[in-house]
Amino acid sequence: MSEFKTIIEPFRIKAVEAVKFTHREEREAALREAGYNVFRLHAEDVLVDLLTDSGTGAMSAAQWGALMQGDESYAGSRSYYRFRDVVNDLTGFRHVIPTHQGRAAERILFHSVLEAGQVVPNNNHFDTTRANVEVEKAEARDLVIVEGRVPSRVHPFKGNMDLEALEHALESDGDRIPLVMVTVTNNTGGGQPVSLENLRGIRRLCDRYRKPFFLDACRFAENSWFIKVREEGQGARSPREIAREMFSLADGCTMSAKKDGLANIGGFLALNDDAWAERCRNLLILTEGFPTYGGLAGYDLEAVARGLEEVLEEPYLRYRIRSIEYLHERLVGAGVPVLQPAGGHAVYLDARALLPHIPPLEYPGIALADALYVEAGIRGVEIGTVMFGLHPDGTERPADMDLVRLAIPRRVYTQSHIDYVAEAVIAVAALKDDLRGYRITKAPPVLRHFTALFEPRGA
Ligand SMILES: *Cc1c(COP(=O)(O)O)cnc(C)c1O
């Protein structure tokens, strides 16, 4: 079947969910009501929801079937052992600690091993990862390669860590670094992959400076696919083999099963160190639950176990990565500024480049995200100065980039949905001169993007 070029969705549809069509005036009213923050919209009022790929995917018939197999025993449930075996087989890590989602794994890890004044290097910290480091009064230090900071630069592994910068950090601040972390794929930097070569280099440095190395593994399968198709000598290996090697280079990982677990909820922390695992389990019991369920139902553990197997199937990964690339190609073809190259789970519009008349502190990403909703009912999310511009000392500075992320839920939308999105983004980009900035009228001190209220400037 390889003589045809069209890459089709590697599934057929068994159940459908209607979407609601709204008029422009209804969307304007809904957005005003939401304080111009798309996080505050009712999801029903969104036509194509690209807010996040987290927990929004469609489960397979096999996963729905597995739910029925869930063992809801409080302790030692069969579903836990099935989950543990799948995670252990994939990652090789000795201790597998289920959590209700990724940020719980982060909080438990960092609260157990971080002290005030310490430093965690990462390629780029994701928003919750950064917040969970900073809440311990530690520093979240981003060390992505220089190419990774410039939206228009093309690099096959733009998520790579700058090994020189890491070595310098280990040399000068080594006694304050309890672990090194790397995010695969690098969500904040555009869903960009990290090469095996780079992971091996990080491992060597961690060995030399005797530091544990953790993966933020939310999109490990997408990262494996990029390694397969882009890294020399990797083309003949299966995504599973590559994923196993990625994990084998690390000492542990945090994981959100809402991404490459293909589940609607779930996550885990997995690690080799016995003493750290014991500390983490003790904290888990305090807030998440007994170590064999960690805040999840038995049926959730079943769905994640099955999802972790399906996500490494080649037809799935080929379609997944291609569908993002397809949207990216259409936008590039129409001259819309986007982060280059296409990421693994999302297309990132470069709001700062599209809207040079809106300064970063007037939030060009919010202006673009809001316009996409009003014009077309599409919900994306600002990844920029609102999300990352407020610092623990209370000062506000422009983030490295002002992007709007269009994250594609897994196995949910068809090609015609994506064609609609492309047409709508191109139409909104043509309205750019009419878009104006926003000011924040109310916001909490941390993770402000989720709940901040805005008002349009000059309105
Ligand atoms: C989603 C995500 C997390 C947090 O996971 P949740 O399940 O949303 O708590 C952490 N890191 C990265 C890179 C993510 O994409």
Side-chain angles (χ1 to χ4, degrees):
M1 292 211 289
S2 58
E3 70 264 40
F4 298 111
K5 287 206 279 295
T6 308
I7 296 172
I8 62 170
E9 286 85 0
F11 49 80
R12 48 187 186 176
I13 294 166
K14 209 180 189 83
V16 297
E17 184 179 11
V19 292
K20 186 172 114 186
F21 290 85
T22 53
H23 296 291
R24 193 176 201 285
E25 304 78 69
E26 293 173 307
R27 294 193 294 272
E28 277 170 348
L31 192 61
R32 200 179 319 119
E33 187 69 16
Y36 298 95
N37 183 345
V38 295
F39 274 105
R40 303 174 66 109
L41 289 168
H42 290 234
E44 259 212 319
D45 297 332
V46 175
L47 184 65
V48 180
D49 202 347
L50 309 181
L51 182 74
T52 174
D53 62 323
S54 179
T56 52
M59 292 210 296
S60 65
Q63 282 176 294
W64 284 107
L67 293 191
M68 217 42 227
Q69 306 288 329
D71 172 0
E72 304 305 336
S73 303
Y74 189 93
S77 96
R78 184 181 63 235
S79 300
Y80 169 73
Y81 292 108
R82 161 137 169 75
F83 169 87
R84 184 202 63 180
D85 290 348
V86 168
V87 174
N88 184 262
D89 182 58
L90 171 67
T91 67
F93 298 133
R94 200 158 46 235
H95 302 282
V96 177
I97 301 175
T99 59
H100 80 276
Q101 60 184 91
R103 69 197 65 183
E106 293 166 355
R107 192 193 72 87
I108 286 165
L109 175 67
F110 292 139
H111 193 67
S112 302
V113 310
L114 261 190
E115 284 166 28
Q118 291 188 321
V119 179
V120 179
N122 203 323
N123 43 358
N124 284 114
H125 288 81
F126 181 64
D127 59 352
T128 60
T129 323
R130 170 172 294 280
N132 274 300
V133 169
E134 289 176 351
V135 80
E136 304 297 335
K137 308 232 174 321
E139 179 194 336
R141 195 177 291 177
D142 289 344
L143 300 178
V144 74
I145 55 173
V146 289
E147 289 86 343
R149 296 173 207 263
V150 187
S152 58
R153 287 281 284 275
V154 177
H155 185 287
F157 291 101
K158 208 172 169 175
N160 279 356
M161 194 174 235
D162 181 336
L163 296 182
E164 253 176 59
L166 176 61
E167 181 161 12
H168 182 259
L170 289 164
E171 191 63 52
S172 55
D173 291 321
D175 52 342
R176 292 197 293 140
I177 296 178
L179 78 165
V180 173
M181 201 155 194
V182 168
T183 308
V184 293
T185 58
N186 188 24
N187 188 1
T188 301
Q192 301 293 325
V194 179
S195 69
L196 267 184
E197 187 193 12
N198 193 249
L199 293 172
R200 291 185 189 126
I202 296 162
R203 175 75 264 170
R204 277 195 296 277
L205 286 172
C206 286
D207 283 342
R208 184 162 350 128
Y209 291 88
R210 298 170 167 277
K211 299 296 176 192
F213 170 26
F214 274 66
L215 290 174
D216 177 340
C218 300
R219 296 180 183 77
F220 73 93
E222 290 166 6
N223 201 81
S224 305
W225 185 259
F226 281 119
I227 288 173
K228 179 178 169 68
V229 297
R230 290 186 185 168
E231 192 160 350
E232 211 176 308
Q234 299 299 323
R237 300 176 77 193
S238 69
R240 169 175 295 275
E241 257 180 278
I242 295 170
R244 278 206 176 115
E245 181 172 349
M246 283 164 48
F247 285 113
S248 76
L249 292 165
D251 301 293
C253 71
T254 56
M255 172 73 190
S256 170
K258 302 173 72 171
K259 283 64 170 267
D260 277 351
L262 294 180
N264 301 125
I265 196 71
F268 57 85
L269 168 64
L271 69 171
N272 283 331
D273 188 274
D274 297 335
W276 277 19
E278 188 180 328
R279 261 190 263 169
C280 290
R281 282 206 179 92
N282 288 338
L283 191 57
L284 182 88
I285 292 173
L286 200 62
T287 58
E288 293 272 302
F290 192 74
T292 61
Y293 72 87
L296 294 170
Y299 53 69
D300 295 322
L301 294 166
E302 294 282 347
V304 173
R306 174 74 202 181
L308 288 171
E309 293 172 344
E310 291 179 5
V311 77
L312 286 163
E313 288 169 6
E314 290 199 19
Y316 165 74
L317 283 170
R318 181 179 296 111
Y319 137 84
R320 170 74 179 157
I321 300 302
R322 176 59 197 153
S323 54
I324 314 294
E325 200 178 58
Y326 172 79
L327 175 59
H328 190 265
E329 272 171 20
R330 292 219 28 201
L331 298 181
V332 169
V336 177
V338 293
L339 190 145
Q340 295 282 3
H345 66 292
V347 171
Y348 295 67
L349 310 176
D350 187 346
R352 194 177 288 177
L354 181 71
L355 307 170
H357 58 289
I358 304 179
L361 294 179
E362 295 182 15
Y363 316 129
I366 299 297
L368 182 56
D370 283 6
L372 270 173
Y373 175 68
V374 168
E375 299 301 327
I378 297 168
R379 177 158 70 167
V381 66
E382 190 249 25
I383 301 220
T385 300
V386 175
M387 190 179 276
F388 292 113
L390 185 65
H391 296 269
D393 61 6
T395 59
E396 190 185 29
R397 298 191 291 275
D400 285 350
M401 304 186 259
D402 276 294
L403 306 172
V404 171
R405 185 186 69 186
L406 304 176
I408 313 295
R410 294 172 179 77
R411 308 188 290 201
V412 168
Y413 294 115
T414 63
Q415 185 170 350
S416 60
H417 288 110
I418 299 299
D419 284 333
Y420 171 84
V421 171
E423 183 187 347
V425 172
I426 293 165
V428 170
L431 300 174
K432 61 180 194 254
D433 295 334
D434 299 335
L435 303 191
R436 277 181 294 179
Y438 283 81
R439 70 167 61 84
I440 291 179
T441 57
K442 190 166 188 282
V446 286
L447 295 173
R448 62 177 176 167
H449 52 290
F450 289 123
T451 54
L453 300 177
F454 299 86
E455 69 184 15
R457 286 183 178 261

